[in-house]
mmCIF file with all atom_site columns, all heavy atoms in Angstrom:
data_model
loop_
_atom_site.group_PDB
_atom_site.id
_atom_site.type_symbol
_atom_site.label_atom_id
_atom_site.label_alt_id
_atom_site.label_comp_id
_atom_site.label_asym_id
_atom_site.label_entity_id
_atom_site.label_seq_id
_atom_site.pdbx_PDB_ins_code
_atom_site.Cartn_x
_atom_site.Cartn_y
_atom_site.Cartn_z
_atom_site.occupancy
_atom_site.B_iso_or_equiv
_atom_site.pdbx_formal_charge
_atom_site.auth_seq_id
_atom_site.auth_comp_id
_atom_site.auth_asym_id
_atom_site.auth_atom_id
_atom_site.pdbx_PDB_model_num
ATOM 1   N N   . ALA L 1 1  ? 81.700 -27.682 -11.914 1.00 0.00 ? 107 ALA L N   1
ATOM 2   C CA  . ALA L 1 1  ? 81.468 -26.482 -11.112 1.00 0.00 ? 107 ALA L CA  1
ATOM 3   C C   . ALA L 1 1  ? 80.892 -25.318 -11.918 1.00 0.00 ? 107 ALA L C   1
ATOM 4   O O   . ALA L 1 1  ? 80.311 -24.392 -11.337 1.00 0.00 ? 107 ALA L O   1
ATOM 5   C CB  . ALA L 1 1  ? 82.775 -26.043 -10.453 1.00 0.00 ? 107 ALA L CB  1
ATOM 6   N N   . ALA L 1 2  ? 81.038 -25.341 -13.232 1.00 0.00 ? 108 ALA L N   1
ATOM 7   C CA  . ALA L 1 2  ? 80.581 -24.223 -14.070 1.00 0.00 ? 108 ALA L CA  1
ATOM 8   C C   . ALA L 1 2  ? 79.101 -23.878 -13.859 1.00 0.00 ? 108 ALA L C   1
ATOM 9   O O   . ALA L 1 2  ? 78.757 -22.696 -13.799 1.00 0.00 ? 108 ALA L O   1
ATOM 10  C CB  . ALA L 1 2  ? 80.871 -24.511 -15.544 1.00 0.00 ? 108 ALA L CB  1
ATOM 11  N N   . PRO L 1 3  ? 78.212 -24.863 -13.704 1.00 0.00 ? 109 PRO L N   1
ATOM 12  C CA  . PRO L 1 3  ? 76.806 -24.516 -13.464 1.00 0.00 ? 109 PRO L CA  1
ATOM 13  C C   . PRO L 1 3  ? 76.584 -23.719 -12.167 1.00 0.00 ? 109 PRO L C   1
ATOM 14  O O   . PRO L 1 3  ? 75.672 -22.901 -12.092 1.00 0.00 ? 109 PRO L O   1
ATOM 15  C CB  . PRO L 1 3  ? 76.106 -25.873 -13.399 1.00 0.00 ? 109 PRO L CB  1
ATOM 16  C CG  . PRO L 1 3  ? 76.972 -26.774 -14.219 1.00 0.00 ? 109 PRO L CG  1
ATOM 17  C CD  . PRO L 1 3  ? 78.372 -26.299 -13.945 1.00 0.00 ? 109 PRO L CD  1
ATOM 18  N N   . GLU L 1 4  ? 77.437 -23.931 -11.165 1.00 0.00 ? 110 GLU L N   1
ATOM 19  C CA  . GLU L 1 4  ? 77.341 -23.162 -9.919  1.00 0.00 ? 110 GLU L CA  1
ATOM 20  C C   . GLU L 1 4  ? 77.607 -21.684 -10.178 1.00 0.00 ? 110 GLU L C   1
ATOM 21  O O   . GLU L 1 4  ? 76.898 -20.817 -9.669  1.00 0.00 ? 110 GLU L O   1
ATOM 22  C CB  . GLU L 1 4  ? 78.345 -23.664 -8.886  1.00 0.00 ? 110 GLU L CB  1
ATOM 23  C CG  . GLU L 1 4  ? 78.074 -25.036 -8.340  1.00 0.00 ? 110 GLU L CG  1
ATOM 24  C CD  . GLU L 1 4  ? 79.168 -25.470 -7.380  1.00 0.00 ? 110 GLU L CD  1
ATOM 25  O OE1 . GLU L 1 4  ? 79.451 -24.731 -6.417  1.00 0.00 ? 110 GLU L OE1 1
ATOM 26  O OE2 . GLU L 1 4  ? 79.744 -26.542 -7.617  1.00 0.00 ? 110 GLU L OE2 1
ATOM 27  N N   . LEU L 1 5  ? 78.657 -21.410 -10.962 1.00 0.00 ? 111 LEU L N   1
ATOM 28  C CA  . LEU L 1 5  ? 78.974 -20.019 -11.274 1.00 0.00 ? 111 LEU L CA  1
ATOM 29  C C   . LEU L 1 5  ? 77.882 -19.420 -12.152 1.00 0.00 ? 111 LEU L C   1
ATOM 30  O O   . LEU L 1 5  ? 77.470 -18.275 -11.949 1.00 0.00 ? 111 LEU L O   1
ATOM 31  C CB  . LEU L 1 5  ? 80.340 -19.901 -11.956 1.00 0.00 ? 111 LEU L CB  1
ATOM 32  C CG  . LEU L 1 5  ? 80.769 -18.480 -12.307 1.00 0.00 ? 111 LEU L CG  1
ATOM 33  C CD1 . LEU L 1 5  ? 80.777 -17.573 -11.076 1.00 0.00 ? 111 LEU L CD1 1
ATOM 34  C CD2 . LEU L 1 5  ? 82.134 -18.488 -12.979 1.00 0.00 ? 111 LEU L CD2 1
ATOM 35  N N   . GLU L 1 6  ? 77.397 -20.195 -13.096 1.00 0.00 ? 112 GLU L N   1
ATOM 36  C CA  . GLU L 1 6  ? 76.316 -19.716 -13.956 1.00 0.00 ? 112 GLU L CA  1
ATOM 37  C C   . GLU L 1 6  ? 75.105 -19.305 -13.107 1.00 0.00 ? 112 GLU L C   1
ATOM 38  O O   . GLU L 1 6  ? 74.530 -18.229 -13.304 1.00 0.00 ? 112 GLU L O   1
ATOM 39  C CB  . GLU L 1 6  ? 75.910 -20.793 -14.954 1.00 0.00 ? 112 GLU L CB  1
ATOM 40  C CG  . GLU L 1 6  ? 74.783 -20.379 -15.868 1.00 0.00 ? 112 GLU L CG  1
ATOM 41  C CD  . GLU L 1 6  ? 74.406 -21.465 -16.863 1.00 0.00 ? 112 GLU L CD  1
ATOM 42  O OE1 . GLU L 1 6  ? 74.670 -22.653 -16.602 1.00 0.00 ? 112 GLU L OE1 1
ATOM 43  O OE2 . GLU L 1 6  ? 73.822 -21.110 -17.902 1.00 0.00 ? 112 GLU L OE2 1
ATOM 44  N N   . ALA L 1 7  ? 74.728 -20.132 -12.150 1.00 0.00 ? 113 ALA L N   1
ATOM 45  C CA  . ALA L 1 7  ? 73.580 -19.832 -11.287 1.00 0.00 ? 113 ALA L CA  1
ATOM 46  C C   . ALA L 1 7  ? 73.841 -18.599 -10.424 1.00 0.00 ? 113 ALA L C   1
ATOM 47  O O   . ALA L 1 7  ? 72.954 -17.754 -10.257 1.00 0.00 ? 113 ALA L O   1
ATOM 48  C CB  . ALA L 1 7  ? 73.261 -21.039 -10.408 1.00 0.00 ? 113 ALA L CB  1
ATOM 49  N N   . ALA L 1 8  ? 75.065 -18.486 -9.897  1.00 0.00 ? 114 ALA L N   1
ATOM 50  C CA  . ALA L 1 8  ? 75.399 -17.329 -9.052  1.00 0.00 ? 114 ALA L CA  1
ATOM 51  C C   . ALA L 1 8  ? 75.316 -16.026 -9.842  1.00 0.00 ? 114 ALA L C   1
ATOM 52  O O   . ALA L 1 8  ? 74.829 -15.008 -9.338  1.00 0.00 ? 114 ALA L O   1
ATOM 53  C CB  . ALA L 1 8  ? 76.792 -17.501 -8.455  1.00 0.00 ? 114 ALA L CB  1
ATOM 54  N N   . VAL L 1 9  ? 75.778 -16.044 -11.082 1.00 0.00 ? 115 VAL L N   1
ATOM 55  C CA  . VAL L 1 9  ? 75.730 -14.841 -11.920 1.00 0.00 ? 115 VAL L CA  1
ATOM 56  C C   . VAL L 1 9  ? 74.296 -14.548 -12.357 1.00 0.00 ? 115 VAL L C   1
ATOM 57  O O   . VAL L 1 9  ? 73.858 -13.400 -12.358 1.00 0.00 ? 115 VAL L O   1
ATOM 58  C CB  . VAL L 1 9  ? 76.673 -14.978 -13.141 1.00 0.00 ? 115 VAL L CB  1
ATOM 59  C CG1 . VAL L 1 9  ? 76.460 -13.847 -14.132 1.00 0.00 ? 115 VAL L CG1 1
ATOM 60  C CG2 . VAL L 1 9  ? 78.128 -15.026 -12.680 1.00 0.00 ? 115 VAL L CG2 1
ATOM 61  N N   . GLU L 1 10 ? 73.550 -15.584 -12.698 1.00 0.00 ? 116 GLU L N   1
ATOM 62  C CA  . GLU L 1 10 ? 72.165 -15.393 -13.148 1.00 0.00 ? 116 GLU L CA  1
ATOM 63  C C   . GLU L 1 10 ? 71.288 -14.787 -12.063 1.00 0.00 ? 116 GLU L C   1
ATOM 64  O O   . GLU L 1 10 ? 70.373 -14.028 -12.360 1.00 0.00 ? 116 GLU L O   1
ATOM 65  C CB  . GLU L 1 10 ? 71.565 -16.708 -13.643 1.00 0.00 ? 116 GLU L CB  1
ATOM 66  C CG  . GLU L 1 10 ? 72.008 -17.083 -15.031 1.00 0.00 ? 116 GLU L CG  1
ATOM 67  C CD  . GLU L 1 10 ? 71.691 -16.038 -16.079 1.00 0.00 ? 116 GLU L CD  1
ATOM 68  O OE1 . GLU L 1 10 ? 70.550 -15.537 -16.117 1.00 0.00 ? 116 GLU L OE1 1
ATOM 69  O OE2 . GLU L 1 10 ? 72.599 -15.708 -16.863 1.00 0.00 ? 116 GLU L OE2 1
ATOM 70  N N   . GLU L 1 11 ? 71.560 -15.097 -10.810 1.00 0.00 ? 117 GLU L N   1
ATOM 71  C CA  . GLU L 1 11 ? 70.724 -14.565 -9.735  1.00 0.00 ? 117 GLU L CA  1
ATOM 72  C C   . GLU L 1 11 ? 71.040 -13.110 -9.385  1.00 0.00 ? 117 GLU L C   1
ATOM 73  O O   . GLU L 1 11 ? 70.301 -12.477 -8.641  1.00 0.00 ? 117 GLU L O   1
ATOM 74  C CB  . GLU L 1 11 ? 70.804 -15.440 -8.488  1.00 0.00 ? 117 GLU L CB  1
ATOM 75  C CG  . GLU L 1 11 ? 72.075 -15.304 -7.709  1.00 0.00 ? 117 GLU L CG  1
ATOM 76  C CD  . GLU L 1 11 ? 72.100 -16.164 -6.450  1.00 0.00 ? 117 GLU L CD  1
ATOM 77  O OE1 . GLU L 1 11 ? 71.338 -17.136 -6.369  1.00 0.00 ? 117 GLU L OE1 1
ATOM 78  O OE2 . GLU L 1 11 ? 72.891 -15.857 -5.552  1.00 0.00 ? 117 GLU L OE2 1
ATOM 79  N N   . LEU L 1 12 ? 72.119 -12.567 -9.947  1.00 0.00 ? 118 LEU L N   1
ATOM 80  C CA  . LEU L 1 12 ? 72.463 -11.166 -9.692  1.00 0.00 ? 118 LEU L CA  1
ATOM 81  C C   . LEU L 1 12 ? 71.486 -10.239 -10.401 1.00 0.00 ? 118 LEU L C   1
ATOM 82  O O   . LEU L 1 12 ? 71.142 -10.452 -11.560 1.00 0.00 ? 118 LEU L O   1
ATOM 83  C CB  . LEU L 1 12 ? 73.890 -10.867 -10.169 1.00 0.00 ? 118 LEU L CB  1
ATOM 84  C CG  . LEU L 1 12 ? 75.024 -11.622 -9.480  1.00 0.00 ? 118 LEU L CG  1
ATOM 85  C CD1 . LEU L 1 12 ? 76.349 -11.281 -10.147 1.00 0.00 ? 118 LEU L CD1 1
ATOM 86  C CD2 . LEU L 1 12 ? 75.068 -11.321 -7.996  1.00 0.00 ? 118 LEU L CD2 1
ATOM 87  N N   . ASP L 1 13 ? 71.075 -9.212  -9.707  1.00 0.00 ? 119 ASP L N   1
ATOM 88  C CA  . ASP L 1 13 ? 70.213 -8.187  -10.295 1.00 0.00 ? 119 ASP L CA  1
ATOM 89  C C   . ASP L 1 13 ? 71.111 -7.038  -10.748 1.00 0.00 ? 119 ASP L C   1
ATOM 90  O O   . ASP L 1 13 ? 71.398 -6.124  -9.969  1.00 0.00 ? 119 ASP L O   1
ATOM 91  C CB  . ASP L 1 13 ? 69.182 -7.709  -9.269  1.00 0.00 ? 119 ASP L CB  1
ATOM 92  C CG  . ASP L 1 13 ? 68.291 -6.615  -9.809  1.00 0.00 ? 119 ASP L CG  1
ATOM 93  O OD1 . ASP L 1 13 ? 68.255 -6.396  -11.043 1.00 0.00 ? 119 ASP L OD1 1
ATOM 94  O OD2 . ASP L 1 13 ? 67.632 -5.952  -8.992  1.00 0.00 ? 119 ASP L OD2 1
ATOM 95  N N   . GLU L 1 14 ? 71.569 -7.122  -11.976 1.00 0.00 ? 120 GLU L N   1
ATOM 96  C CA  . GLU L 1 14 ? 72.549 -6.150  -12.459 1.00 0.00 ? 120 GLU L CA  1
ATOM 97  C C   . GLU L 1 14 ? 72.033 -4.719  -12.442 1.00 0.00 ? 120 GLU L C   1
ATOM 98  O O   . GLU L 1 14 ? 72.805 -3.772  -12.352 1.00 0.00 ? 120 GLU L O   1
ATOM 99  C CB  . GLU L 1 14 ? 73.094 -6.526  -13.839 1.00 0.00 ? 120 GLU L CB  1
ATOM 100 C CG  . GLU L 1 14 ? 72.098 -6.501  -14.964 1.00 0.00 ? 120 GLU L CG  1
ATOM 101 C CD  . GLU L 1 14 ? 71.397 -7.814  -15.209 1.00 0.00 ? 120 GLU L CD  1
ATOM 102 O OE1 . GLU L 1 14 ? 71.352 -8.682  -14.342 1.00 0.00 ? 120 GLU L OE1 1
ATOM 103 O OE2 . GLU L 1 14 ? 70.854 -7.964  -16.311 1.00 0.00 ? 120 GLU L OE2 1
ATOM 104 N N   . ALA L 1 15 ? 70.724 -4.537  -12.500 1.00 0.00 ? 121 ALA L N   1
ATOM 105 C CA  . ALA L 1 15 ? 70.147 -3.180  -12.478 1.00 0.00 ? 121 ALA L CA  1
ATOM 106 C C   . ALA L 1 15 ? 70.391 -2.493  -11.139 1.00 0.00 ? 121 ALA L C   1
ATOM 107 O O   . ALA L 1 15 ? 70.501 -1.264  -11.076 1.00 0.00 ? 121 ALA L O   1
ATOM 108 C CB  . ALA L 1 15 ? 68.662 -3.239  -12.782 1.00 0.00 ? 121 ALA L CB  1
ATOM 109 N N   . SER L 1 16 ? 70.503 -3.265  -10.066 1.00 0.00 ? 122 SER L N   1
ATOM 110 C CA  . SER L 1 16 ? 70.684 -2.668  -8.736  1.00 0.00 ? 122 SER L CA  1
ATOM 111 C C   . SER L 1 16 ? 72.149 -2.635  -8.305  1.00 0.00 ? 122 SER L C   1
ATOM 112 O O   . SER L 1 16 ? 72.460 -2.186  -7.213  1.00 0.00 ? 122 SER L O   1
ATOM 113 C CB  . SER L 1 16 ? 69.867 -3.436  -7.697  1.00 0.00 ? 122 SER L CB  1
ATOM 114 O OG  . SER L 1 16 ? 70.387 -4.739  -7.545  1.00 0.00 ? 122 SER L OG  1
ATOM 115 N N   . LEU L 1 17 ? 73.041 -3.110  -9.163  1.00 0.00 ? 123 LEU L N   1
ATOM 116 C CA  . LEU L 1 17 ? 74.464 -3.166  -8.827  1.00 0.00 ? 123 LEU L CA  1
ATOM 117 C C   . LEU L 1 17 ? 75.280 -2.170  -9.633  1.00 0.00 ? 123 LEU L C   1
ATOM 118 O O   . LEU L 1 17 ? 74.977 -1.915  -10.790 1.00 0.00 ? 123 LEU L O   1
ATOM 119 C CB  . LEU L 1 17 ? 75.008 -4.573  -9.091  1.00 0.00 ? 123 LEU L CB  1
ATOM 120 C CG  . LEU L 1 17 ? 74.444 -5.686  -8.228  1.00 0.00 ? 123 LEU L CG  1
ATOM 121 C CD1 . LEU L 1 17 ? 74.893 -7.035  -8.764  1.00 0.00 ? 123 LEU L CD1 1
ATOM 122 C CD2 . LEU L 1 17 ? 74.880 -5.508  -6.790  1.00 0.00 ? 123 LEU L CD2 1
ATOM 123 N N   . GLU L 1 18 ? 76.317 -1.656  -8.996  1.00 0.00 ? 124 GLU L N   1
ATOM 124 C CA  . GLU L 1 18 ? 77.269 -0.808  -9.711  1.00 0.00 ? 124 GLU L CA  1
ATOM 125 C C   . GLU L 1 18 ? 78.549 -1.562  -10.043 1.00 0.00 ? 124 GLU L C   1
ATOM 126 O O   . GLU L 1 18 ? 79.252 -1.202  -10.975 1.00 0.00 ? 124 GLU L O   1
ATOM 127 C CB  . GLU L 1 18 ? 77.598 0.438   -8.874  1.00 0.00 ? 124 GLU L CB  1
ATOM 128 C CG  . GLU L 1 18 ? 76.420 1.386   -8.775  1.00 0.00 ? 124 GLU L CG  1
ATOM 129 C CD  . GLU L 1 18 ? 76.733 2.653   -8.013  1.00 0.00 ? 124 GLU L CD  1
ATOM 130 O OE1 . GLU L 1 18 ? 77.917 2.892   -7.680  1.00 0.00 ? 124 GLU L OE1 1
ATOM 131 O OE2 . GLU L 1 18 ? 75.788 3.407   -7.742  1.00 0.00 ? 124 GLU L OE2 1
ATOM 132 N N   . LYS L 1 19 ? 78.836 -2.616  -9.252  1.00 0.00 ? 125 LYS L N   1
ATOM 133 C CA  . LYS L 1 19 ? 80.082 -3.347  -9.467  1.00 0.00 ? 125 LYS L CA  1
ATOM 134 C C   . LYS L 1 19 ? 79.943 -4.789  -9.001  1.00 0.00 ? 125 LYS L C   1
ATOM 135 O O   . LYS L 1 19 ? 79.367 -5.063  -7.949  1.00 0.00 ? 125 LYS L O   1
ATOM 136 C CB  . LYS L 1 19 ? 81.215 -2.667  -8.692  1.00 0.00 ? 125 LYS L CB  1
ATOM 137 C CG  . LYS L 1 19 ? 82.589 -3.191  -8.973  1.00 0.00 ? 125 LYS L CG  1
ATOM 138 C CD  . LYS L 1 19 ? 83.623 -2.326  -8.262  1.00 0.00 ? 125 LYS L CD  1
ATOM 139 C CE  . LYS L 1 19 ? 85.014 -2.635  -8.714  1.00 0.00 ? 125 LYS L CE  1
ATOM 140 N NZ  . LYS L 1 19 ? 86.004 -1.774  -8.057  1.00 0.00 ? 125 LYS L NZ  1
ATOM 141 N N   . VAL L 1 20 ? 80.474 -5.698  -9.815  1.00 0.00 ? 126 VAL L N   1
ATOM 142 C CA  . VAL L 1 20 ? 80.576 -7.117  -9.455  1.00 0.00 ? 126 VAL L CA  1
ATOM 143 C C   . VAL L 1 20 ? 82.044 -7.502  -9.598  1.00 0.00 ? 126 VAL L C   1
ATOM 144 O O   . VAL L 1 20 ? 82.636 -7.322  -10.666 1.00 0.00 ? 126 VAL L O   1
ATOM 145 C CB  . VAL L 1 20 ? 79.690 -8.005  -10.355 1.00 0.00 ? 126 VAL L CB  1
ATOM 146 C CG1 . VAL L 1 20 ? 79.892 -9.477  -10.010 1.00 0.00 ? 126 VAL L CG1 1
ATOM 147 C CG2 . VAL L 1 20 ? 78.232 -7.610  -10.236 1.00 0.00 ? 126 VAL L CG2 1
ATOM 148 N N   . VAL L 1 21 ? 82.609 -7.997  -8.510  1.00 0.00 ? 127 VAL L N   1
ATOM 149 C CA  . VAL L 1 21 ? 84.015 -8.394  -8.497  1.00 0.00 ? 127 VAL L CA  1
ATOM 150 C C   . VAL L 1 21 ? 84.094 -9.909  -8.443  1.00 0.00 ? 127 VAL L C   1
ATOM 151 O O   . VAL L 1 21 ? 83.451 -10.534 -7.599  1.00 0.00 ? 127 VAL L O   1
ATOM 152 C CB  . VAL L 1 21 ? 84.753 -7.803  -7.267  1.00 0.00 ? 127 VAL L CB  1
ATOM 153 C CG1 . VAL L 1 21 ? 86.190 -8.302  -7.209  1.00 0.00 ? 127 VAL L CG1 1
ATOM 154 C CG2 . VAL L 1 21 ? 84.701 -6.290  -7.277  1.00 0.00 ? 127 VAL L CG2 1
ATOM 155 N N   . MET L 1 22 ? 84.876 -10.492 -9.342  1.00 0.00 ? 128 MET L N   1
ATOM 156 C CA  . MET L 1 22 ? 85.196 -11.911 -9.249  1.00 0.00 ? 128 MET L CA  1
ATOM 157 C C   . MET L 1 22 ? 86.624 -12.003 -8.732  1.00 0.00 ? 128 MET L C   1
ATOM 158 O O   . MET L 1 22 ? 87.569 -11.615 -9.422  1.00 0.00 ? 128 MET L O   1
ATOM 159 C CB  . MET L 1 22 ? 85.057 -12.611 -10.597 1.00 0.00 ? 128 MET L CB  1
ATOM 160 C CG  . MET L 1 22 ? 83.654 -12.997 -10.885 1.00 0.00 ? 128 MET L CG  1
ATOM 161 S SD  . MET L 1 22 ? 83.551 -14.366 -12.010 1.00 0.00 ? 128 MET L SD  1
ATOM 162 C CE  . MET L 1 22 ? 81.931 -14.054 -12.661 1.00 0.00 ? 128 MET L CE  1
ATOM 163 N N   . ASP L 1 23 ? 86.734 -12.466 -7.510  1.00 0.00 ? 129 ASP L N   1
ATOM 164 C CA  . ASP L 1 23 ? 88.033 -12.604 -6.860  1.00 0.00 ? 129 ASP L CA  1
ATOM 165 C C   . ASP L 1 23 ? 88.564 -14.008 -7.137  1.00 0.00 ? 129 ASP L C   1
ATOM 166 O O   . ASP L 1 23 ? 87.970 -14.997 -6.718  1.00 0.00 ? 129 ASP L O   1
ATOM 167 C CB  . ASP L 1 23 ? 87.880 -12.367 -5.361  1.00 0.00 ? 129 ASP L CB  1
ATOM 168 C CG  . ASP L 1 23 ? 89.210 -12.305 -4.637  1.00 0.00 ? 129 ASP L CG  1
ATOM 169 O OD1 . ASP L 1 23 ? 90.195 -12.903 -5.125  1.00 0.00 ? 129 ASP L OD1 1
ATOM 170 O OD2 . ASP L 1 23 ? 89.265 -11.659 -3.577  1.00 0.00 ? 129 ASP L OD2 1
ATOM 171 N N   . LEU L 1 24 ? 89.677 -14.079 -7.860  1.00 0.00 ? 130 LEU L N   1
ATOM 172 C CA  . LEU L 1 24 ? 90.226 -15.370 -8.296  1.00 0.00 ? 130 LEU L CA  1
ATOM 173 C C   . LEU L 1 24 ? 91.453 -15.796 -7.499  1.00 0.00 ? 130 LEU L C   1
ATOM 174 O O   . LEU L 1 24 ? 92.174 -16.706 -7.905  1.00 0.00 ? 130 LEU L O   1
ATOM 175 C CB  . LEU L 1 24 ? 90.575 -15.302 -9.788  1.00 0.00 ? 130 LEU L CB  1
ATOM 176 C CG  . LEU L 1 24 ? 89.470 -14.834 -10.730 1.00 0.00 ? 130 LEU L CG  1
ATOM 177 C CD1 . LEU L 1 24 ? 89.937 -14.922 -12.174 1.00 0.00 ? 130 LEU L CD1 1
ATOM 178 C CD2 . LEU L 1 24 ? 88.188 -15.601 -10.516 1.00 0.00 ? 130 LEU L CD2 1
ATOM 179 N N   . GLU L 1 25 ? 91.679 -15.156 -6.348  1.00 0.00 ? 131 GLU L N   1
ATOM 180 C CA  . GLU L 1 25 ? 92.872 -15.453 -5.561  1.00 0.00 ? 131 GLU L CA  1
ATOM 181 C C   . GLU L 1 25 ? 92.995 -16.935 -5.222  1.00 0.00 ? 131 GLU L C   1
ATOM 182 O O   . GLU L 1 25 ? 94.100 -17.497 -5.228  1.00 0.00 ? 131 GLU L O   1
ATOM 183 C CB  . GLU L 1 25 ? 92.861 -14.637 -4.259  1.00 0.00 ? 131 GLU L CB  1
ATOM 184 C CG  . GLU L 1 25 ? 94.082 -14.869 -3.398  1.00 0.00 ? 131 GLU L CG  1
ATOM 185 C CD  . GLU L 1 25 ? 94.088 -14.001 -2.156  1.00 0.00 ? 131 GLU L CD  1
ATOM 186 O OE1 . GLU L 1 25 ? 93.045 -13.455 -1.775  1.00 0.00 ? 131 GLU L OE1 1
ATOM 187 O OE2 . GLU L 1 25 ? 95.184 -13.877 -1.576  1.00 0.00 ? 131 GLU L OE2 1
ATOM 188 N N   . LYS L 1 26 ? 91.879 -17.602 -4.957  1.00 0.00 ? 132 LYS L N   1
ATOM 189 C CA  . LYS L 1 26 ? 91.915 -19.006 -4.549  1.00 0.00 ? 132 LYS L CA  1
ATOM 190 C C   . LYS L 1 26 ? 91.434 -19.957 -5.642  1.00 0.00 ? 132 LYS L C   1
ATOM 191 O O   . LYS L 1 26 ? 91.169 -21.124 -5.378  1.00 0.00 ? 132 LYS L O   1
ATOM 192 C CB  . LYS L 1 26 ? 91.099 -19.186 -3.273  1.00 0.00 ? 132 LYS L CB  1
ATOM 193 C CG  . LYS L 1 26 ? 91.712 -18.404 -2.120  1.00 0.00 ? 132 LYS L CG  1
ATOM 194 C CD  . LYS L 1 26 ? 90.979 -18.617 -0.844  1.00 0.00 ? 132 LYS L CD  1
ATOM 195 C CE  . LYS L 1 26 ? 91.665 -17.809 0.251   1.00 0.00 ? 132 LYS L CE  1
ATOM 196 N NZ  . LYS L 1 26 ? 90.999 -17.980 1.537   1.00 0.00 ? 132 LYS L NZ  1
ATOM 197 N N   . LEU L 1 27 ? 91.336 -19.448 -6.863  1.00 0.00 ? 133 LEU L N   1
ATOM 198 C CA  . LEU L 1 27 ? 90.978 -20.304 -7.995  1.00 0.00 ? 133 LEU L CA  1
ATOM 199 C C   . LEU L 1 27 ? 92.237 -21.035 -8.450  1.00 0.00 ? 133 LEU L C   1
ATOM 200 O O   . LEU L 1 27 ? 93.224 -20.420 -8.827  1.00 0.00 ? 133 LEU L O   1
ATOM 201 C CB  . LEU L 1 27 ? 90.389 -19.480 -9.144  1.00 0.00 ? 133 LEU L CB  1
ATOM 202 C CG  . LEU L 1 27 ? 89.889 -20.284 -10.341 1.00 0.00 ? 133 LEU L CG  1
ATOM 203 C CD1 . LEU L 1 27 ? 88.691 -21.142 -9.947  1.00 0.00 ? 133 LEU L CD1 1
ATOM 204 C CD2 . LEU L 1 27 ? 89.515 -19.355 -11.482 1.00 0.00 ? 133 LEU L CD2 1
ATOM 205 N N   . GLU L 1 28 ? 92.201 -22.358 -8.398  1.00 0.00 ? 134 GLU L N   1
ATOM 206 C CA  . GLU L 1 28 ? 93.374 -23.166 -8.710  1.00 0.00 ? 134 GLU L CA  1
ATOM 207 C C   . GLU L 1 28 ? 93.436 -23.611 -10.163 1.00 0.00 ? 134 GLU L C   1
ATOM 208 O O   . GLU L 1 28 ? 94.516 -23.842 -10.704 1.00 0.00 ? 134 GLU L O   1
ATOM 209 C CB  . GLU L 1 28 ? 93.385 -24.411 -7.815  1.00 0.00 ? 134 GLU L CB  1
ATOM 210 C CG  . GLU L 1 28 ? 93.446 -24.097 -6.337  1.00 0.00 ? 134 GLU L CG  1
ATOM 211 C CD  . GLU L 1 28 ? 93.207 -25.322 -5.480  1.00 0.00 ? 134 GLU L CD  1
ATOM 212 O OE1 . GLU L 1 28 ? 93.261 -26.458 -6.007  1.00 0.00 ? 134 GLU L OE1 1
ATOM 213 O OE2 . GLU L 1 28 ? 92.951 -25.146 -4.282  1.00 0.00 ? 134 GLU L OE2 1
ATOM 214 N N   . TYR L 1 29 ? 92.267 -23.764 -10.789 1.00 0.00 ? 135 TYR L N   1
ATOM 215 C CA  . TYR L 1 29 ? 92.213 -24.332 -12.139 1.00 0.00 ? 135 TYR L CA  1
ATOM 216 C C   . TYR L 1 29 ? 90.954 -23.831 -12.822 1.00 0.00 ? 135 TYR L C   1
ATOM 217 O O   . TYR L 1 29 ? 89.922 -23.646 -12.178 1.00 0.00 ? 135 TYR L O   1
ATOM 218 C CB  . TYR L 1 29 ? 92.169 -25.867 -12.042 1.00 0.00 ? 135 TYR L CB  1
ATOM 219 C CG  . TYR L 1 29 ? 91.894 -26.559 -13.351 1.00 0.00 ? 135 TYR L CG  1
ATOM 220 C CD1 . TYR L 1 29 ? 92.905 -26.776 -14.273 1.00 0.00 ? 135 TYR L CD1 1
ATOM 221 C CD2 . TYR L 1 29 ? 90.607 -26.988 -13.666 1.00 0.00 ? 135 TYR L CD2 1
ATOM 222 C CE1 . TYR L 1 29 ? 92.643 -27.414 -15.486 1.00 0.00 ? 135 TYR L CE1 1
ATOM 223 C CE2 . TYR L 1 29 ? 90.335 -27.622 -14.871 1.00 0.00 ? 135 TYR L CE2 1
ATOM 224 C CZ  . TYR L 1 29 ? 91.359 -27.828 -15.774 1.00 0.00 ? 135 TYR L CZ  1
ATOM 225 O OH  . TYR L 1 29 ? 91.098 -28.443 -16.970 1.00 0.00 ? 135 TYR L OH  1
ATOM 226 N N   . ILE L 1 30 ? 91.043 -23.638 -14.137 1.00 0.00 ? 136 ILE L N   1
ATOM 227 C CA  . ILE L 1 30 ? 89.871 -23.276 -14.929 1.00 0.00 ? 136 ILE L CA  1
ATOM 228 C C   . ILE L 1 30 ? 89.882 -24.069 -16.231 1.00 0.00 ? 136 ILE L C   1
ATOM 229 O O   . ILE L 1 30 ? 90.921 -24.178 -16.888 1.00 0.00 ? 136 ILE L O   1
ATOM 230 C CB  . ILE L 1 30 ? 89.787 -21.761 -15.189 1.00 0.00 ? 136 ILE L CB  1
ATOM 231 C CG1 . ILE L 1 30 ? 88.454 -21.393 -15.841 1.00 0.00 ? 136 ILE L CG1 1
ATOM 232 C CG2 . ILE L 1 30 ? 90.966 -21.270 -16.001 1.00 0.00 ? 136 ILE L CG2 1
ATOM 233 C CD1 . ILE L 1 30 ? 88.148 -19.917 -15.846 1.00 0.00 ? 136 ILE L CD1 1
#
């Protein structure tokens, strides 16, 4: 699953964002 998160983060345009939240409430394992 790590490549999915990598792709999701890479597609973010950090210049246009003020905040990125990673909600881990339903993350069962890392």
Side-chain angles (χ1 to χ4, degrees):
E110 292 177 54
L111 181 56
E112 179 179 23
V115 171
E116 281 302 313
E117 75 178 21
L118 297 176
D119 178 15
E120 65 269 20
S122 67
L123 295 170
E124 290 183 8
K125 188 174 191 178
V126 176
V127 176
M128 277 205 205
D129 188 334
L130 307 184
E131 181 177 17
K132 296 183 180 180
L133 184 66
E134 299 170 14
Y135 171 81
I136 188 167

